[in-house]
Amino acid sequence: LPATLEYFGGRGVAWSSDLPHFDAEDEGRPDAIVAHERIPAAHKRRLLHDNAAEFFGLETAKAVRAAAE
């Protein structure tokens, strides 16, 4: 995952899940992504929020970025 995010500059990749279900495994949970040491914070934010918000045209991505700056 870190290499993919680096290749695309953090863009174009979004986290998704069909959790919860009875045979779910822990791999790929959002808290594991947040705790991942090799993924920069900006890529984590894009992966877990900004990319999907931009794809669906939600205003929240712009508002969150503006508030963080």
Side-chain angles (χ1 to χ4, degrees):
L1 182 60
T4 300
L5 292 170
E6 187 63 34
Y7 180 82
F8 288 107
R11 296 188 174 276
V13 180
W15 180 84
S16 68
S17 174
D18 63 347
L19 295 175
H21 50 84
F22 74 94
D23 61 346
E25 296 182 18
D26 287 341
E27 187 174 322
R29 291 182 7 194
D31 57 333
I33 294 169
V34 170
H36 201 296
E37 296 176 1
R38 290 184 46 217
I39 300 175
H43 288 177
K44 291 175 187 178
R45 185 181 64 245
R46 292 205 65 79
L47 176 67
L48 296 172
H49 177 270
D50 293 355
N51 290 338
E54 288 175 4
F55 178 82
F56 289 107
L58 304 176
E59 292 294 323
T60 59
K62 294 175 187 172
V64 169
R65 269 197 310 276
E69 293 176 356

